[in-house]
Amino acid sequence: MTNQAKVLLIYTGGTIGMHRNPHTGALEPFDFDGLLQNVPELKLLDTHIETCQFQPPIDSSDMSPKHWTRLSHVIADRYDQFDGFVVLHGTDTMAYTASALSYMMENLTKPVIFTGSQLPIGQLRTDGKENLITSIEIASARDSEGHARVPEVGIFFDGHLLRGNRTTKQSADEFNAFESFNYPHLVDAGVNIVYHSERILQPDWDRPMKPHFRLDNNVIIFSLFPGIREDLIRHIIHTPNLKAIVMRTFGSGNAPQNPWLLSALKEGTRNGKVIVNISQCMQGCVEMNRYDTGFQLKEAGVVSGYDSTVESAVTKLMFLQSHYDDPEQVRRLMNQSIRGEITV
Ligand code: ASP
């Protein structure tokens, strides 16, 4: 009997597997066999790899909660047969999908590693090969007790593994496309692969992973800016069915002190909308007590998003709203770290 690790490689689409359409010149997805032909090195890995693909593969700009549910099913249905999962995904919305999956996989005991590339795998200077090969190594890695070394949803790119729900796409053209500004890297892959175990979540190994498939996308993200108009804000606050707002504020969670803004936010809160304060800064934490301009938001019922990414806040709201009808319960859980997504 062999103890070789088994990894399921799931191809959803994205640049890594794209080729150039000879007629339009634009990049478009092509199928998995084409992708794998470009990486004969995979045969050299001491890992048993099986593959499956989204049909058709998509540009990640077309990702939606429906696809996240499909992906959760793919992983949950085969969870016991594999030691880890590698998801090939376009970079544009990878941080949203990884965040959503982190909420949908409760008590994850196996790695779910997202990766992709900035240049298609068929191109000479591609970053796709290294990203793919190291992701498979990380997804296969087990400790001396046989437990996964990274039982987390992570994003591997350009030598770093980042916690999925802490990550943001930071560059449209550098190979170093992602960063987790408020949480250190889980793994650094240079000459050696260094696992920072003290930063990696530990599940309850005696309990099974519990998948969730429901999401409620009655949520919107808006950014404040100097000059924002009352009628537009009121329009959003009064949108029927809208349950939650991710409000991107200034600095440490500050907003203009216009009375109409505060009264609109108060009204939204009173009507059961959950309004979450996320900073427009990439790095740092919302602290609504620091300035009066933040304190007033707190008074209006706005809840702190702490050091959350926007991607994580919006997908966490979708997840929580599908489970709880009571907005107070959603507000309470937004202020707790349920998958290592915020520092509280
Ligand atoms: N537009 C592509 C996508 O997100 C970009 C990429 O994969 O890097 O699918």
Side-chain angles (χ1 to χ4, degrees):
M1 211 177 87
T2 164
N3 195 25
Q4 201 183 37
K6 287 179 78 179
V7 167
L8 182 65
L9 184 56
I10 305 162
Y11 174 51
T12 67
T15 298
I16 191 162
M18 289 188 181
H19 66 168
R20 210 167 283 286
N21 179 315
H23 305 295
T24 64
L27 287 172
E28 57 183 36
F30 71 122
D31 72 18
F32 217 171
D33 296 338
L35 186 147
L36 292 178
Q37 270 165 25
N38 285 293
V39 205
E41 295 89 341
L42 288 180
K43 296 200 183 72
L44 302 173
L45 286 172
D46 184 24
T47 301
H48 174 81
I49 302 168
E50 288 183 26
T51 58
C52 75
Q53 85 168 68
F54 270 28
Q55 206 56 269
I58 56 171
D59 187 296
S60 79
S61 299
D62 290 324
M63 275 285 162
S64 67
K66 181 181 81 194
H67 295 103
W68 300 339
T69 297
R70 199 199 299 174
L71 193 51
S72 296
H73 276 294
V74 169
I75 295 172
D77 290 353
R78 296 160 178 82
Y79 195 73
D80 294 335
Q81 298 157 32
F82 292 92
D83 298 293
F85 300 84
V86 172
V87 183
L88 299 179
H89 192 289
T91 57
D92 290 348
T93 64
M94 190 186 290
Y96 289 91
T97 305
S99 297
L101 266 282
S102 77
Y103 298 116
M104 297 167 90
M105 309 264 117
E106 185 179 336
N107 197 49
L108 189 65
T109 54
K110 297 181 178 181
V112 175
I113 310 298
F114 282 78
T115 197
S117 66
Q118 294 283 56
L119 283 177
I121 210 146
Q123 288 192 13
L124 216 47
R125 290 183 55 250
T126 186
D127 50 331
K129 282 192 185 186
E130 205 280 311
N131 287 347
L132 173 57
I133 290 167
T134 309
S135 294
I136 292 173
E137 285 208 39
I138 293 172
S140 321
R142 289 169 287 182
D143 65 16
S144 52
E145 288 173 53
H147 290 143
R149 296 198 71 169
V150 189
E152 288 218 26
V153 177
I155 291 185
F156 182 81
F157 231 85
D158 197 37
H160 312 297
L161 182 76
L162 314 169
R163 177 169 297 160
N165 59 32
R166 291 284 195 158
T167 300
T168 294
K169 184 171 180 183
Q170 65 165 352
S171 173
D173 30 50
E174 282 177 21
F175 285 152
N176 190 13
F178 291 93
E179 190 49 88
S180 59
F181 292 96
N182 288 322
Y183 199 77
H185 301 168
L186 304 181
V187 175
D188 286 302
V191 173
N192 296 307
I193 300 183
V194 180
Y195 293 85
H196 302 288
S197 308
E198 71 290 355
R199 302 171 187 165
I200 297 172
L201 292 172
Q202 291 301 306
D204 178 347
W205 297 105
D206 297 326
R207 274 201 307 127
M209 185 276 285
K210 184 173 176 200
H212 299 271
F213 304 111
R214 274 179 301 137
L215 293 162
D216 176 350
N217 64 352
N218 277 304
V219 51
I220 195 161
I221 303 169
F222 76 72
S223 269
L224 293 178
F225 56 90
I228 195 161
R229 286 175 59 106
E230 175 176 0
D231 53 344
L232 302 182
I233 292 279
R234 288 205 183 272
H235 192 73
I236 293 172
I237 296 276
H238 289 119
T239 308
N241 299 329
L242 180 68
K243 292 186 181 163
I245 297 169
V246 173
M247 183 168 72
R248 305 192 65 218
T249 56
F250 308 130
S252 56
N254 305 312
Q257 301 190 62
N258 302 337
W260 66 259
L261 177 62
L262 296 168
S263 91
L265 295 172
K266 250 187 210 152
E267 203 178 315
T269 304
R270 228 186 2 254
N271 294 338
K273 302 213 183 332
V274 177
I275 308 175
V276 183
N277 186 347
I278 303 283
S279 174
Q280 290 173 25
C281 300
M282 298 272 230
Q283 190 154 22
C285 188
V286 163
E287 273 184 70
M288 289 197 280
N289 288 330
R290 200 187 296 181
Y291 297 96
D292 198 34
T293 42
F295 186 71
Q296 295 195 14
L297 292 180
K298 198 169 162 187
E299 296 281 280
V302 174
V303 296
S304 175
Y306 293 88
D307 55 352
S308 175
T309 62
V310 170
E311 296 89 330
S312 171
V314 76
T315 52
K316 184 175 175 181
L317 283 164
M318 289 188 200
F319 172 74
L320 293 177
Q321 287 176 176
S322 73
H323 284 76
Y324 305 101
D325 289 330
D326 178 7
E328 229 5 86
Q329 177 76 336
V330 174
R331 289 191 189 105
R332 201 176 57 76
L333 288 167
M334 285 308 289
N335 277 186
Q336 284 176 24
S337 171
I338 60 170
R339 304 281 191 271
E341 71 280 9
I342 49 175
T343 315
V344 281

